[in-house]
């Protein structure tokens, strides 16, 4: 199993953006503790960006292990657009994506918006007008004027932002214009168990193939650049906040049920499971992959689990290491 992990992580794709610490207003918080970490992203310098639903904040874990607040006061709400991100209010952020220019995109699900944390330290809305909505937007409209319910956000190899909402995925330009809409009611080549996919997790490979985790039909599908689809997994079981990452060779990392799986040619290998760390229950959630192949994942304690929140990593050699555990008070 370790050998399989080593093969899997070699050459994993990672963001090529500037370090998250370039956000000038990031605030060091010595007493900060994660509560419900969800989505993850990683910068080339090793900064780990974490969307924490329970804190209503976006947090940066520095390579030293210290935590910084990147966005959010901790107060649940909406406000602060145009101002300093650390003074803004978020509402249950559960996904983050890092663009090449250093902008961090956040699925601010409780506010029905996608917000951008700029390298200047400012925050702005790029998609969603605050109203919940499931109808696909019209190509050419500005995404921030559309009612939507974002569930995940990803960056494509073309630098465009992909947002899942309702039963579609919208592709946005750098200015926030809707460039294309992928309607998942039609999936040529794949018959979904239920017509409503309800996309919950997104990832793109370096050629632009899109991987979608369907929360409703419990299937993991791939949309090829030619518009056809193929079924990757027909018993997809995301737990809490699902994660997907893609290798340069097209292999996948997914959090599925109570495990972190590596998938190559529809063959899966368990890289981290519920009882990997014998002294606690660890349910993998978000995924981020560093340039050297190190995999990061997080968890939240729910349904009677012993722990509160945790971060772990899998080294290129296949070793699973617990980085930190924050127990509930």
């Amino acid at each position: 199993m370790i050998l399989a992990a080593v093969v899997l992580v070699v050459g994993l794709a990672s963001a090529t953006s500037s370090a998250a610490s370039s956000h000038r207003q990031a605030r060091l918080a010595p007493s900060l503790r994660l509560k419900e970490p969800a989505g993850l992203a990683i910068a080339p310098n090793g900064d780990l960006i974490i969307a924490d639903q329970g804190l209503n904040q976006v947090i940066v874990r520095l390579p030293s292990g210290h935590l910084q607040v990147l966005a959010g006061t901790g107060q649940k709400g909406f406000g602060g657009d145009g101002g300093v991100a650390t003074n803004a209010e978020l509402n249950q952020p559960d996904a983050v994506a890092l663009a090449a220019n250093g902008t961090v995109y956040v699925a601010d699900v409780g506010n029905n918006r996608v917000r951008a944390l700029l390298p200047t330290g400012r925050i702005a809305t790029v998609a969603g007008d605050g109203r919940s909505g499931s109808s696909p937007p019209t190509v050419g409209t500005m995404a921030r004027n559309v009612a939507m319910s974002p569930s995940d956000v990803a960056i494509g190899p073309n630098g465009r932002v992909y947002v899942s909402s309702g039963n579609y995925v919208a592709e946005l330009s750098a200015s926030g214009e809707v460039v294309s809409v992928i309607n998942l009611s039609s999936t040529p080549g794949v018959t979904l168990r239920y017509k409503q996919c309800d996309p919950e997790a997104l990832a793109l490979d370096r050629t632009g193939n899109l991987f979608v985790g369907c929360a409703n039909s419990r299937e993991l599908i791939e949309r090829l650049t030619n518009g056809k689809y193929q079924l990757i997994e027909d018993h997809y079981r995301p737990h809490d906040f699902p994660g997907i990452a893609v290798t340069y060779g097209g292999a996948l990392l997914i959090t599925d049920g109570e495990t972190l799986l590596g998938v190559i040619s529809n063959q899966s290998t368990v890289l981290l499971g519920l009882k990997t760390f014998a002294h606690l229950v660890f349910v993998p959630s978000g995924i981020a992959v560093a340039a050297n192949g190190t995999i990061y994942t997080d968890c939240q304690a729910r349904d009677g689990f012993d722990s509160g929140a945790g971060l772990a990593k899998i080294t290129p050699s296949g070793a699973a290491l617990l980085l930190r555990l924050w127990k509930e008070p």
Side-chain angles (χ1 to χ4, degrees), residues 58 114 150 171 236 260 264 301:
V58 177
V114 173
E171 179 186 4
Y236 179 62
L260 172 60
I264 301 177

Side-chain angles (χ1 to χ4, degrees), residues 16-93:
T16 57
S17 69
S18 59
S21 57
S22 66
H23 289 70
R24 299 175 185 171
Q25 305 298 327
R27 184 175 65 244
L28 190 63
S31 62
L32 187 64
R33 49 187 295 129
L34 297 185
K35 187 175 182 180
E36 292 182 32
L40 298 177
I42 192 164
N45 74 336
D47 286 352
L48 189 63
I49 304 165
I50 307 162
D52 193 305
Q53 274 211 342
L55 295 177
N56 297 299
Q57 291 175 312
V58 177
I59 306 299
V60 176
R61 181 187 184 272
L62 305 178
S64 65
H66 293 99
L67 299 181
Q68 284 185 340
V69 177
L70 189 62
T73 63
Q75 179 70 37
K76 180 186 292 188
F78 173 73
D81 267 5
V84 176
T86 51
N87 295 334
E89 292 182 346
L90 304 176
N91 189 344
Q92 297 181 306

